[in-house]
Amino acid sequence: MAADSVDWTEPGIYQVAPGVHRMPLPLPMDGLKAVNVYVLETDDGLTLIDGGWAIPESRLLFEEGLANLGYRICDIRSFLVTHMHRDHYTQARAVGSMVGAPVVLGIGEKPTFDLMSGETPLTEDPILTRLRLCGAESLAEQWRRLMPAERPPMDTYGPPDQWLTEDTEIAVGRRRLQALSTPGHTQGHYVFADRAAGLLFAGDHVLPRITPSIGFEPAFVQQPLGDFLDSLAKVRALPDLRLLPAHGPVTSSTHFRIDELLEHHRVRLDQCAASVFAGRRTAWAVAADVPWTSRGKTRDELGPFDVVLAAFETLAHLELLVAQGRLGRGEAAGVVEFSPVDGPKCEPSKSLVSG
């Protein structure tokens, strides 16, 4: 089936390059409808980039997609997982354990794994602590209702078989994939570049229609947005490759979309700085001043999960503004407050696009 002939979420198996197929799998959520899993054929079997969410309806389509190519799950030799979010990792872990296919993941995800597994003791859900930092204590009860009362079972979240600890080259049959660390969306995020074929398996690092969430991890990171912008610049320095994202259709240019993402965050940094200079002091208050989604929704029009993402992403922008010297920062009673600094520090930021 042609890669771009249907809506990208339509179930099926779609060739996107010789020996490379896109398999969209369903997600049980309102916002994102599907995740793209990429199937790479070799003489010895299959390597998959990401695995989908371990739910029955996904597993059925997963096996049907492989069958349509003439394969079974026992033909899978390995999973390269871009990051640990459950729509990418859990089905890879479940299937990999069943058929003996090793699962590979970035080492930056280990602190979150340790929190989830209980290896790192917790006195409070770290998301609640972060909401307090944002000045969004009002969301705490809403978050508790969203989350299960007990720690979820880790049967589909066991550790990977191999941690990626640095940028490296991975042989996939005759292909040579560059595994590149791209922290930001999560600290352990990796992308996989096939420069010879002109392909970038981008995971959630570069998405064609939405901006990846920043700062939503149980293991706290002080500068997730700074990490993300550095990672975008790193991938922008590669040749312009065809973009194979985890969510959305395949598109022709990584450079074009990265430039759009960099500009989005440049504008958002300026909006956040202007909000603080206008008198807002917390991430929660600033989030009410800036538009959300492509439809320009207000903070209070967002759904219960998205509004938490908005609070954390605003905090990430404000923390980067502090690191840039454009804002001041203080903390009292577990709430971070931001303030203007002396001098003309609310000047618009320079373009983040290079090249």
Side-chain angles (χ1 to χ4, degrees):
M1 202 179 291
D4 300 315
S5 62
V6 295
D7 172 31
W8 78 270
T9 66
E10 187 70 22
I13 191 84
Y14 305 91
Q15 182 172 310
V16 296
V20 180
H21 305 269
R22 182 180 67 86
M23 181 165 53
L25 298 174
L27 301 178
M29 55 180 66
D30 292 334
L32 293 174
K33 299 297 185 185
V35 60
N36 289 321
V37 169
Y38 293 94
V39 181
L40 282 62
E41 296 181 276
T42 77
D43 293 340
D44 185 47
L46 305 175
T47 290
L48 272 63
I49 296 180
D50 289 337
W53 191 323
I55 54 176
E57 52 267 50
S58 175
R59 180 62 173 268
L60 176 64
L61 291 174
F62 182 87
E63 295 195 26
E64 284 182 357
L66 295 183
N68 286 336
L69 289 178
Y71 296 99
R72 298 176 297 168
I73 61 171
C74 60
D75 295 312
I76 299 172
R77 299 294 175 257
S78 64
F79 286 92
L80 305 177
V81 182
T82 58
H83 62 295
M84 68 169 292
H85 285 166
R86 54 190 174 180
D87 53 326
H88 300 255
Y89 185 77
T90 55
Q91 190 157 258
R93 182 70 171 78
V95 174
S97 297
M98 176 181 295
V99 301
V103 176
V104 180
L105 189 69
I107 189 65
E109 309 292 35
K110 192 174 187 302
T112 292
F113 263 103
D114 290 345
L115 285 173
M116 293 174 60
S117 66
E119 291 293 323
T120 300
L122 285 175
T123 57
E124 181 183 54
D125 181 343
I127 299 301
L128 297 177
T129 306
R130 195 88 49 82
L131 288 174
R132 191 174 301 115
L133 285 175
C134 293
E137 184 76 26
S138 59
L139 293 182
E141 185 55 37
Q142 177 175 290
W143 178 256
R144 290 188 186 98
R145 290 196 299 269
L146 285 174
M147 294 296 104
E150 302 294 329
R151 186 189 296 272
M154 293 292 291
D155 53 337
T156 57
Y157 252 127
D161 300 287
Q162 178 185 341
W163 292 109
L164 288 171
T165 59
E166 60 185 357
D167 291 359
T168 190
E169 185 175 89
I170 298 174
V172 178
R174 298 175 185 176
R175 297 180 188 274
R176 296 296 181 269
L177 299 184
Q178 284 182 272
L180 302 173
S181 174
T182 50
H185 179 61
T186 69
Q187 278 300 291
H189 196 291
Y190 266 74
V191 301
F192 302 95
D194 183 344
R195 295 178 65 159
L199 306 174
L200 181 74
F201 301 92
D204 282 2
H205 181 57
V206 183
L207 300 174
R209 293 179 177 174
I210 57 177
T211 57
S213 64
I214 303 297
F216 184 73
E217 290 187 273
F220 182 74
V221 179
Q222 189 70 36
Q223 291 294 343
L225 180 59
D227 292 340
F228 181 62
L229 297 178
D230 288 345
S231 295
L232 285 176
K234 178 180 183 177
V235 176
R236 181 63 168 76
L238 296 173
D240 195 10
L241 305 174
R242 197 171 180 208
L243 175 59
L244 277 59
H247 307 285
V250 172
T251 61
S252 61
S253 171
T254 55
H255 286 182
F256 179 81
R257 182 54 181 160
I258 288 171
D259 290 348
E260 288 186 330
L261 291 170
L262 290 169
E263 176 63 11
H264 164 79
H265 286 290
R266 184 194 68 79
V267 170
R268 181 50 54 92
L269 285 165
D270 288 347
Q271 291 170 334
C272 290
S275 177
V276 172
F277 272 75
R280 310 291 186 251
R281 291 293 177 261
T282 67
W284 182 238
V286 172
D289 269 0
V290 298
W292 296 98
T293 78
S294 59
R295 297 179 177 85
K297 290 184 177 181
T298 67
R299 181 198 71 184
D300 296 336
E301 291 176 319
L302 298 174
F305 186 77
D306 288 340
V307 75
V308 173
L309 295 180
F312 291 171
E313 184 157 328
T314 304
L315 180 64
H317 282 82
L318 293 168
E319 293 285 13
L320 183 56
L321 287 165
V322 171
Q324 293 174 343
R326 297 175 65 187
L327 293 179
R329 182 189 191 278
E331 188 171 335
V335 179
V336 178
E337 293 193 350
F338 299 89
S339 59
V341 295
D342 294 336
K345 296 294 186 179
C346 198
E347 297 173 356
S349 57
K350 296 179 181 179
S351 174
L352 301 172
V353 178
S354 62

